[in-house]
Amino acid sequence: MQLIDTHVHLNFDVFQSDLEDVSHRWREAGVVRLIHSCVEPSEFEEIQVLAARFPEVYFAVGLHPLDAHKWTAEFEDIIPYRVCSNPKVIALGEMGLDFYKANNLEQQKAVFIAQLFLAEQLNLPIIIHCRDAAKPMAELLQDFWKNHQPLSGVMHCWSGTPEETQCFLDLGLYISFSGIVTFKNANQIQAAARMVPRDRILIETDCPFLSPVPRRGKRNEPAYVSYVAEKIAQLRCIDVDNLAAQTTENACKLFGLSLSPLSPQ
């Protein structure tokens, strides 16, 4: 069984002491590729080092909505430069809207739109963070799509309703589920996981956050994406190998990944 964890944060301090052991566990679990997300461009150098250290790690560059206040006009040059500097950059993000922890609506929108323009120019998929913002997110993307070629991308760590899910599917986006889908009372998320078409579903850990059952309460890590796969397979009444194969194929298609054997960087 081959798995792709489409959203990790391995550069966080909680991994510094045992990252080599963490990598052994993800390989034993069948995780063959990982997409390392970026909270802000200043992380680029350390993420780049991780991608060189672990051949299966690819990564994105972008600015998280909760850091929208850090945006400057220079980022419109810095981000393309970073993309062109390393062939393992395969997406922009994570970017989006978050009104759970912040209320700077207009600032977040402006920064998100600026990054959408960059993704269009660079012809890269986008990793979208959306928390308590489904309606304004859908409206913003619909407006952007009207005047531009629709972008490919993923709603990461999805926790919306089936109705919201369908809205983003209609926009052509992939939907990625994290360990939240394994939680006991995650009924709406589980309903969404049942309805996403087989060619549009992805899985992730968003580690070190949101450890799935039965690891809930502990530090999350890429190996645990197998628990997400098992839960979604159960919800969809299919074999976990089938779910793994489909989500791996979907991730390769979205991010332009190959499963050819890797050599050390």
Side-chain angles (χ1 to χ4, degrees):
M1 182 171 69
Q2 293 182 316
L3 298 162
I4 295 181
D5 187 345
T6 60
H7 202 104
V8 302
H9 297 278
L10 299 175
N11 63 316
F12 286 12
D13 289 345
V14 291
F15 287 116
Q16 295 312 302
S17 65
D18 66 340
L19 189 52
E20 203 64 40
D21 292 336
V22 170
S23 72
H24 292 320
R25 288 193 290 273
W26 81 55
R27 289 166 182 156
E28 289 173 357
V31 178
V32 294
R33 299 288 185 275
L34 304 89
I35 312 299
H36 199 302
S37 195
C38 180
V39 174
E40 58 176 280
S42 64
E43 290 185 311
F44 185 91
E45 296 295 346
E46 59 187 8
I47 297 174
Q48 183 172 242
V49 169
L50 289 171
R53 178 178 172 186
F54 302 107
E56 58 266 57
V57 173
Y58 291 76
F59 62 111
V61 59
L63 186 68
H64 193 284
L66 294 179
D67 291 304
H69 59 282
K70 298 179 181 179
W71 182 268
T72 69
E74 293 178 350
F75 280 19
E76 295 183 16
D77 295 321
I78 291 171
I79 290 176
Y81 173 76
R82 294 301 198 187
V83 169
C84 295
S85 71
N86 193 311
K88 297 190 82 175
V89 180
I90 45 75
L92 291 194
E94 61 188 281
M95 62 176 78
L97 302 176
D98 189 321
F99 302 144
Y100 178 77
K101 292 185 177 180
N103 59 8
N104 54 336
L105 170 63
E106 295 307 318
Q107 185 178 44
Q108 287 191 33
K109 282 185 174 181
V111 170
F112 183 39
I113 290 170
Q115 292 181 90
L116 293 178
F117 275 110
L118 290 175
E120 181 182 38
Q121 294 165 17
L122 296 164
N123 193 30
L124 286 176
I126 53 178
I127 298 172
I128 300 176
H129 173 106
C130 180
R131 190 170 187 189
D132 283 8
K135 187 174 187 293
M137 172 65 73
E139 292 172 349
L140 187 155
L141 291 176
Q142 287 163 357
D143 288 343
F144 193 88
W145 272 210
K146 286 177 184 176
N147 300 303
H148 304 265
Q149 183 174 344
L151 302 175
S152 61
V154 55
M155 304 299 295
H156 112 84
C157 194
W158 183 240
S159 59
T161 67
E163 293 75 20
E164 292 167 342
T165 303
Q166 188 59 55
C167 181
F168 292 111
L169 288 169
D170 291 344
L171 286 164
L173 297 167
Y174 289 72
I175 308 293
S176 181
F177 295 94
S178 69
I180 300 174
V181 76
T182 70
F183 295 175
K184 182 178 179 180
N185 296 319
N187 298 320
Q188 287 194 141
I189 302 169
Q190 292 171 1
R194 292 187 183 97
M195 64 169 283
V196 175
R198 66 189 305 272
D199 64 348
R200 223 82 84 64
I201 190 168
L202 298 173
I203 54 176
E204 64 173 270
T205 56
D206 198 14
C207 64
F209 313 110
L210 304 171
S211 286
V213 174
R215 302 289 184 174
R216 193 172 182 186
K218 302 181 182 298
R219 180 194 66 181
N220 202 1
E221 60 179 73
Y224 299 166
V225 77
S226 61
Y227 296 117
V228 179
E230 289 168 2
K231 181 61 178 183
I232 295 176
Q234 177 189 31
L235 291 169
R236 293 165 75 94
C237 299
I238 61 173
D239 185 87
V240 67
D241 288 342
N242 183 307
L243 189 282
Q246 188 62 56
T247 54
T248 294
E249 179 181 336
N250 294 344
C252 287
K253 182 178 180 181
L254 175 61
F255 294 112
L257 297 172
S258 167
L259 294 184
S260 300
L262 296 168
S263 58
Q265 299 296 301

